[in-house]
Amino acid sequence: MKMDPADLRRVNVFKDAPEEDLKLFVEKGIVRSIEEGEFFFFQGDPAAYFYVLIEGRAKLLQTSATGQQVNLRTITEWQMFGALGAVRENATYPATAQALEPSTALAIESSFLKEMMQNRPYLNINLMQLMTSYIMEMQERYRELATERVERRIALTILRLAAQIGKRTEGDGMTVELPLTRQDVAEASGTTMFTVSRVLADWERRGLVAAGRERVVIRNPHGLVQISEGLDQ
Amino acid sequence: MKMDPADLRRVNVFKDAPEEDLKLFVEKGIVRSIEEGEFFFFQGDPAAYFYVLIEGRAKLLQTSATGQQVNLRTITEWQMFGALGAVRENATYPATAQALEPSTALAIESSFLKEMMQNRPYLNINLMQLMTSYIMEMQERYRELATERVERRIALTILRLAAQIGKRTEGDGMTVELPLTRQDVAEASGTTMFTVSRVLADWERRGLVAAGRERVVIRNPHGLVQISEGLDQ
DNA sequence: TTTTGTCTTTGCGCTGGCGCAAATAACAAA
DNA sequence: TTTGTTATTTGCGCCAGCGCAAAGACAAAA
C-alpha cells in the first residue's frame, strides 16, 4: 500500500507538521491491515509502536481480571492511538486495540516519535491537547457511570459514538448509522447486552432509533439528547 | 508566606528544573490559603491559573446536572493541579478543587506555564508523563466502576487513597490513616454513604480497619488487598 | 435452498445496593 | 455542662438492572 505523506496531516497531532516530517513518519511506518475482530495490540504488550488508523474503525478496550470488558474509546480514520508508549519509559499498552471492521493502520516506532518530539514543539503541543481531551472525556464518562441511570448512559454513549464513528446516511431526514453490536454498546456504557437490547427496543417503539443486527440508526437525535439530559419524563 | 524555590523541586513536573526556572515560578506565583471545605476553583471557571499544593490536602470533583458529586482525584502536598488550562486555549476547569483540610497552594498563571513550555523540553516531558498517569488511572477506575462490585471498589478506593493521601501512623503495627468522611469515600468509589458505612462496619468487625468520624485507619492492608482482588471468599 | 453460526430478543426470577427515616455518636461552641 | 451541628449507623422496603435460558432473526457460506 502506498501512502501519500500529505494524508497524515488529517491526523490532528500532525495537522501543522512540515511536509518533510510527514515523509519521515511515513517512511518509518509499517502499514498493517487486519480483519474485523483482530487486534492491533493487547493490553500489557510492550508499547513499542503507536498507530494511526488509515481505514476502518477500531475500539480500545480494557479487560478485568474476570474477563469482563469495557470500551474506553472508539477510533476512526486518521486518529492516533497507542501513543502513550512514546511518553513513558518501557511502557506497556494500558488497553487492547481491536478492529470493528477490516482496518488498516500505519504503525510507527514509539521511540521515533519520542525522538521527533525532542525538537518539534508542535508535536508536544498537539499531543498534549490530545491527552487533555482524553482526560476530560474519561472524567466525564466516569461521572456519568457513577451518577446516571442506564437509559441515560446508553443515550449518552450512543450520541458520543455517533459523533466519533457515526456515518451520516441519506434517506428520510437526518440519520446516523453505527455498526455496533449490542455487546459493543453495553461495553461502552457500562451495562449488559440484555439491558441495551431492551432499551433500544423501547426507543424503537418510540421512533427514536431503528435497531438492526450490528446496527443502530438514529432517527431522532433530538429525542435522544432529551433522554440523555433527563428531560423526557 | 515565604517560599524557597528549591521546594518546588518536590513537584514531579519540576523535578529536573534549573534553579532559575523555579525562581521564576515562585516569583510569578501567588500564595493562597483556604479553609477546609473552601474551593481553589470551580468546574467551569476560566482556567487562568494552575496550582501547586504546598500544604494540606484537596480533592478534585465533578458535579452532575442533578448535583451529585464524584471524586476524580485527591491531591496531596507538592502535587500540581488545574494545569489543563496551560494546554488548551480559553480552557475552563473541567473539575472543582476543594480543600479537605486547611490548605495552601501556589497559584501561577496558566499562560506563564505555557510560555515557559515553549523552550523547556523537560516541562513538556514531565507534564506529558503526568497526563499519561491520569489517563491510565482514569481508565482503570472506569473499568472498575463498570465491572466490579461495591465492596471491591471500596477496597480499591481506600487502598488508592491510602497511597495518595494516607499518613502513616505509628502504634500497633503498620496503619494508614485517612481523614475522609463516608461521603468522600462514597464519591470516590461511585456508591453511597450508606453502603460505605455498612461495608466499613463489616470490615471493622473483621479487624481490617478502624473506622471513626471522618477517619479510616487501615489495620490490615493485606486483607484489604485480598478483598480488592476478590480472593477473600 | 439449506445449513451454520452469530447476534438479538424476551420472559422470568432474583438480589445487590439504593434511599429514606430515625436513632445515635462525635465534636464544637457557648 | 449544655446545646447545636454534623457525621454516622442501622433497620427496612423496594426496584432497577442483572443474568440465565430459550427462542427467534439475520447473514453468509455451502
Side-chain angles (χ1 to χ4, degrees):
Chain A
M1 172 153 182
K2 240 176 52 186
M3 255 204 74
D4 180 357
D7 278 344
L8 266 193
R9 212 168 262 125
R10 299 171 67 179
V11 180
N12 223 302
V13 172
F14 296 137
K15 66 176 184 289
D16 36 23
E19 188 77 23
E20 58 264 34
D21 284 5
L22 298 180
K23 259 189 208 144
L24 286 174
F25 278 115
V26 169
E27 279 165 21
K28 269 280 183 178
I30 304 158
V31 174
R32 251 190 85 192
S33 290
I34 64 175
E35 291 307 306
E36 177 177 339
E38 292 184 336
F39 301 88
F40 284 111
F41 52 78
F42 291 91
Q43 181 177 348
D45 285 354
Y49 294 84
F50 74 92
Y51 292 78
V52 170
L53 194 65
I54 298 171
E55 207 176 351
R57 306 186 208 186
K59 62 179 178 182
L60 278 184
L61 57 94
Q62 225 175 57
T63 309
S64 75
T66 59
Q68 293 166 91
Q69 294 188 352
V70 288
N71 284 16
L72 298 173
R73 193 152 61 88
T74 47
I75 297 153
T76 185
E77 287 167 15
W78 306 109
Q79 287 198 330
M80 184 183 276
F81 61 106
L84 296 199
V87 177
R88 302 184 90 78
E89 299 294 336
N90 304 115
T92 58
Y93 296 112
T96 297
Q98 184 176 26
L100 289 169
E101 45 187 75
S103 297
T104 303
L106 186 69
I108 304 169
E109 280 180 52
S110 306
S111 57
F112 183 65
L113 176 58
K114 194 170 193 169
E115 192 185 303
M116 294 287 278
M117 285 196 299
Q118 300 290 319
N119 51 358
R120 284 169 182 82
Y122 76 88
L123 277 179
N124 288 288
I125 293 171
N126 294 347
L127 204 51
M128 279 200 218
Q129 285 186 354
L130 185 65
M131 287 185 185
T132 57
S133 69
Y134 289 167
I135 293 174
M136 294 195 302
E137 183 182 328
M138 284 309 294
Q139 287 180 346
E140 203 176 305
R141 287 182 57 189
Y142 182 82
R143 181 185 53 67
E144 285 168 13
L145 188 53
T147 65
E148 310 290 0
R149 323 224 112 180
V150 263
E151 189 184 17
R152 273 221 234 178
R153 293 210 310 271
I154 295 173
L156 286 159
T157 300
I158 298 258
L159 289 170
R160 193 151 23 221
L161 288 168
Q164 287 174 351
I165 61 165
K167 286 184 175 157
R168 288 233 127 67
T169 56
E170 301 308 317
D172 45 83
M174 183 79 80
T175 60
V176 179
E177 191 166 341
L178 294 168
L180 297 168
T181 65
R182 302 291 173 273
Q183 186 64 36
D184 285 325
V185 177
E187 285 168 10
S189 50
T191 180
T192 62
M193 206 176 71
F194 311 106
T195 299
V196 171
S197 175
R198 284 183 256 260
V199 169
L200 286 182
D202 180 44
W203 289 351
E204 186 149 31
R205 260 170 249 127
R206 293 156 64 184
L208 297 169
V209 302
R213 186 190 169 96
E214 295 189 50
R215 202 174 60 98
V216 179
V217 181
I218 302 178
R219 291 226 168 288
N220 178 358
H222 184 64
L224 273 195
V225 170
Q226 281 198 317
I227 290 175
S228 77
E229 292 173 347
L231 302 171
D232 57 322
Q233 32 263 6
Chain B
M1 171 152 185
K2 240 177 51 187
M3 257 205 72
D4 181 357
D7 279 344
L8 267 193
R9 214 168 262 126
R10 301 172 66 179
V11 180
N12 222 303
V13 172
F14 296 138
K15 65 176 185 291
D16 35 24
E19 188 77 22
E20 58 264 32
D21 284 6
L22 297 179
K23 258 189 206 144
L24 286 174
F25 279 115
V26 170
E27 278 164 20
K28 268 282 184 178
I30 303 159
V31 174
R32 254 190 84 191
S33 290
I34 64 174
E35 292 306 308
E36 178 178 335
E38 292 184 337
F39 301 88
F40 283 112
F41 52 77
F42 291 91
Q43 181 177 349
D45 286 354
Y49 293 84
F50 76 93
Y51 292 78
V52 170
L53 194 64
I54 298 172
E55 208 177 349
R57 304 185 210 187
K59 61 179 177 183
L60 278 184
L61 57 95
Q62 223 174 59
T63 309
S64 76
T66 58
Q68 293 166 90
Q69 294 186 354
V70 288
N71 285 16
L72 298 173
R73 192 154 58 91
T74 47
I75 297 152
T76 185
E77 287 165 15
W78 306 112
Q79 286 197 330
M80 184 184 274
F81 61 105
L84 295 200
V87 177
R88 303 184 89 79
E89 300 293 336
N90 305 116
T92 58
Y93 295 112
T96 297
Q98 184 177 25
L100 289 170
E101 46 187 74
S103 296
T104 303
L106 185 70
I108 302 170
E109 280 180 53
S110 306
S111 57
F112 183 64
L113 176 58
K114 192 168 193 169
E115 193 183 304
M116 294 287 278
M117 285 195 300
Q118 300 291 319
N119 50 357
R120 284 170 182 79
Y122 77 89
L123 278 179
N124 288 287
I125 293 171
N126 293 346
L127 204 52
M128 277 199 223
Q129 284 186 353
L130 186 64
M131 286 185 187
T132 56
S133 69
Y134 289 168
I135 293 173
M136 293 194 304
E137 182 181 328
M138 285 308 296
Q139 286 178 345
E140 202 177 305
R141 287 182 57 188
Y142 182 82
R143 181 186 50 70
E144 285 170 14
L145 189 52
T147 63
E148 310 292 358
R149 326 222 108 181
V150 262
E151 189 183 19
R152 274 221 235 178
R153 292 209 310 271
I154 295 174
L156 286 159
T157 300
I158 298 258
L159 289 170
R160 189 144 35 214
L161 289 168
Q164 286 174 351
I165 61 164
K167 287 182 177 159
R168 289 232 128 66
T169 55
E170 302 309 318
D172 45 80
M174 183 77 82
T175 61
V176 179
E177 190 166 340
L178 293 169
L180 297 169
T181 65
R182 303 290 173 275
Q183 186 64 38
D184 285 324
V185 178
E187 285 168 10
S189 51
T191 180
T192 62
M193 205 176 69
F194 311 107
T195 300
V196 171
S197 175
R198 285 183 256 259
V199 169
L200 286 182
D202 180 43
W203 288 351
E204 186 149 31
R205 258 171 251 127
R206 293 157 63 185
L208 297 168
V209 302
R213 187 190 168 96
E214 296 190 49
R215 204 173 59 100
V216 179
V217 181
I218 302 177
R219 292 225 169 288
N220 178 357
H222 184 64
L224 274 195
V225 171
Q226 280 197 317
I227 290 176
S228 78
E229 291 173 348
L231 303 172
D232 56 323
Q233 32 271 359

